[in-house]
Amino acid sequence: MPLTVLSDADVRSLLLSLNREEIIELQESLGEALHEYSTGTQETTGCCSANQPQRIAIPAPNDRTTLFMPASTSTSRGMKIVSLNVAPTPPSDPAASTTSPASARGSVASYTPSIASTASSGSALSRNSTVSSHSSQQTPITPSSPSVSFSNLSLKPTESSIPSTESTRPIGSLTLLTPSGTPYALLSAEELTAFRTALASTLIFTKRTHVHSITVFGAGKQAYWHIRLALLLKGTSIHHIDIVNRSFSRAKDLMKEIHTCESWNTLRHDKLKISILSAEYGEYSRLLKDHVRKADVLFLCTPSTSPLFPAELLTSSEGRKKGRYISAIGSYRPHMAELHPDILRQAVAPEHKHHHHRHAHREGVIIVDSLEACMKEAGEVKQAGLGPEQLVEVGELIMVKKAVMKEVEMGGEGEKGLRRWLESGNVVYKSVGLG
C-alpha cells in the first residue's frame, strides 16, 4: 500500500480548493461520525466513544504541551500528535476571576475596510485609506494598507494570557493506519486541526435561520477557518463580521488576506463589512459591548484563561432578548475559559414560563463535542459547576429527529421546540477537541 505524505502547504491547498457542496458533504460525514460516537456501541460501530481513548497531555519544555490524540473507525486507526504553547495556570481559583475588559483601562482599534467589487481577473480590492486619531501621533497608511480609523485608550491584557508573539498553533502530524496497522498516510496536522474544529463548530451554525452579524474572537487559523466556512455556508446573508483580537497587526494580516487573496474572491460580496476591534486602540468596552450584543453568532477562538467579555452583556434582560449561537472552541484545559461561567449557568437554568421581559428560547443544556472530555477538561464547564445531565453531545443533536425523543423526555415540545432552539434560540457549543 502506498504511503501518502502531505505537508501543511499541501493540506492547505486542498482545503482551500473545497467548494460549498464539498464542505457540506464533509460536514455530513463528520456529523454521521459524531452521531455514531455519541450513540453507537462496540457491537454496531467502530466510531463509538468506547473505542476512542481519551487524549493524553504531556508537559514539554518552554511552557509547551504535547497532546496525543488517538482515534478509531471501522476502516482505519489514527494518531494525532501536536505540540503547542499553553498559558500558565493562574495561582488563584480561575472561577473567581471576574475581571472584565470594561473594568480595566484599555485600548482598542476599530478597523472597518471599505469593500468594493473585485475585477474578474481576481485583482486586489480597491479601498479608501483614511486615518483619524485622538492621539497626537498619526499612524501612516501605505497604499497597500486597508483603510483604518482608530482612537487611543489603554487596555490591561490578562497577564496569564499567551503573548501574541508565542505560538498557540497545534504543530504536529496525523498518522493514519489500516486496522491491521499498515500506515497509509502522514499528514501535517496544523491546518487540518483548525479546519476540522471549524467544520464541527459550524454543524449547528448551518441550522441557524438568521445570520447577518458574526463576531469572532481571535485572528489565528481557527478564526480564519471559522470565517471562511461561515461565508461558504451562509454566503450573502452575512453582512457584518467583527474580528476582536488583542493584537491589531495580526488581525490586520487576516483582514488583508480576506480582502486580497484570490482564494477568497468567490466569498466576498458588496454587502459584506468587516471590522477589527483590537486591544491596542479605541473605546474598547463600548465597542466590545456593541459587537457582542449585535452578533447573531459568536465564534470564540482564543486560548484565553479568563472570560473574553463581561457576563452581563448576555445575561441581562437586554442581552437575552436576542437568540445567538455561541461556539467556544479556543480553551481546552480546566484553568482556561473564554466564557464567564454565569453565561453557562443561565443557559442551563430552568425556563420560567412567565416573565416580564421577552427572552430568546433556550433548552437548558450546553452542547459539547464530548461529554467525558468536557467534564474533565473544559474550564467553562468546570467553573460553572455543571453536571453531565446539563450537557448534550453534538452527535446526539445532528440528526434532529433522533434527538426529539430525548427532548420530549426532558419536558420540551418535541421536534418543534428543538428545531426552534437550534434555529433561533440561545445555543452554547463547547469543544475541547476530539481525535
Side-chain angles (χ1 to χ4, degrees):
M1 176 178 288
L3 177 65
T4 300
V5 179
L6 298 179
S7 67
D8 204 55
D10 295 330
V11 173
R12 181 178 176 83
S13 178
L14 287 171
L15 295 178
L16 287 175
S17 70
L18 297 173
N19 58 35
R20 184 177 186 274
E21 290 69 29
E22 291 166 329
I23 291 294
I24 291 174
E25 185 177 348
L26 284 174
Q27 271 198 333
E28 290 174 349
S29 296
L30 177 59
E32 291 173 3
L34 290 171
H35 184 68
E36 291 181 1
Y37 171 85
S38 297
T39 64
T41 65
Q42 287 182 304
E43 292 74 25
T44 60
T45 175
C47 287
C48 70
S49 59
N51 289 339
Q52 314 304 324
Q54 288 291 300
R55 71 182 181 198
I56 299 174
I58 298 178
N62 301 318
D63 293 323
R64 294 184 71 83
T65 290
T66 300
L67 302 176
F68 295 82
M69 306 173 70
S72 172
T73 71
S74 57
T75 59
S76 63
R77 305 289 183 267
M79 171 65 80
K80 185 167 74 172
I81 304 175
V82 295
S83 180
L84 69 165
N85 277 89
V86 294
T89 304
S92 60
D93 181 3
S97 176
T98 57
T99 302
S100 68
S103 64
R105 294 185 56 207
S107 62
V108 212
S110 173
Y111 174 66
T112 310
S114 114
I115 300 178
S117 58
T118 56
S120 58
S121 61
S123 59
L125 295 171
S126 61
R127 294 176 295 273
N128 296 327
S129 297
T130 58
V131 179
S132 63
S133 176
H134 296 303
S135 68
S136 59
Q137 186 175 12
Q138 296 287 335
T139 300
I141 299 296
T142 64
S144 61
S145 300
S147 65
V148 182
S149 64
F150 53 79
S151 56
N152 291 342
L153 284 172
S154 62
L155 177 70
K156 184 178 180 181
T158 305
E159 294 182 358
S160 57
S161 298
I162 304 173
S164 58
T165 54
E166 296 181 16
S167 174
T168 60
R169 299 172 298 169
I171 300 173
S173 65
L174 171 63
T175 304
L176 299 177
L177 309 93
T178 65
S180 62
T182 303
Y184 65 88
L186 179 63
L187 314 175
S188 175
E190 183 178 340
E191 202 78 38
L192 190 61
T193 296
F195 171 82
R196 187 268 179 209
T197 302
L199 193 69
S201 179
T202 51
L203 282 169
I204 300 297
F205 169 83
T206 58
K207 299 183 183 298
R208 305 296 287 184
T209 56
H210 181 90
V211 180
H212 294 329
S213 179
I214 297 176
T215 296
V216 182
F217 284 81
K221 287 187 180 292
Q222 293 285 6
Y224 176 98
W225 280 108
H226 276 76
I227 294 172
R228 185 172 181 86
L229 292 190
L231 288 172
L232 270 166
L233 293 165
K234 291 294 185 179
T236 56
S237 68
I238 299 174
H239 297 166
H240 299 276
I241 297 177
D242 299 313
I243 301 172
V244 182
N245 194 59
R246 85 184 261 169
S247 166
F248 176 79
S249 62
R250 189 172 185 184
K252 188 175 74 172
D253 289 343
L254 173 58
M255 177 72 67
K256 183 177 180 180
E257 181 166 354
I258 295 173
H259 277 206
T260 61
C261 285
E262 187 175 350
S263 61
W264 289 81
N265 283 355
T266 59
L267 301 180
R268 297 185 292 254
H269 58 86
D270 292 342
K271 293 183 179 179
L272 180 64
K273 299 185 185 301
I274 308 177
S275 72
I276 289 176
L277 181 60
S278 166
E280 296 167 358
Y281 307 98
E283 299 174 356
Y284 187 79
S285 58
R286 179 181 64 81
L287 295 174
L288 179 67
K289 178 181 178 180
D290 291 344
H291 287 340
V292 171
R293 283 274 176 87
K294 78 176 184 181
D296 301 306
V297 174
L298 293 165
F299 288 133
L300 313 184
C301 308
T302 75
S304 180
T305 57
S306 60
L308 297 173
F309 53 86
E312 57 267 22
L313 295 187
L314 298 184
T315 58
S316 66
S317 292
E318 185 66 27
R320 294 165 61 193
K321 288 181 179 179
K322 180 174 184 171
R324 298 175 184 83
Y325 173 58
I326 305 170
S327 174
I329 57 87
S331 58
Y332 54 91
R333 299 293 290 160
H335 71 283
M336 303 170 76
E338 297 176 288
L339 283 173
H340 194 285
D342 284 352
I343 296 174
L344 277 73
R345 292 187 188 109
Q346 185 182 81
V348 302
E351 186 90 63
H352 295 293
K353 299 297 181 182
H354 303 284
H355 44 66
H356 299 291
H357 303 281
R358 191 173 183 178
H359 296 152
H361 182 65
R362 64 176 189 267
E363 278 296 296
V365 292
I366 304 298
I367 303 176
V368 297
D369 55 347
S370 167
L371 191 150
E372 184 178 0
C374 283
M375 285 299 300
K376 178 182 177 183
E377 297 185 316
E380 292 95 340
V381 172
K382 295 180 72 69
Q383 293 170 30
L386 303 188
E389 72 282 355
Q390 295 167 310
L391 310 178
V392 60
E393 290 180 342
V394 65
E396 295 185 64
L397 293 176
I398 292 304
M399 314 301 181
V400 173
K401 288 189 180 297
K402 294 182 179 181
V404 169
M405 185 176 296
K406 180 171 183 177
E407 205 270 346
V408 172
E409 291 173 353
M410 295 173 64
E413 298 177 270
E415 184 173 349
K416 180 181 177 181
L418 182 61
R419 285 189 180 277
R420 186 170 77 252
W421 173 55
L422 293 176
E423 292 174 356
S424 60
N426 277 314
V427 179
V428 179
Y429 169 71
K430 175 60 195 175
S431 168
V432 294
L434 283 171

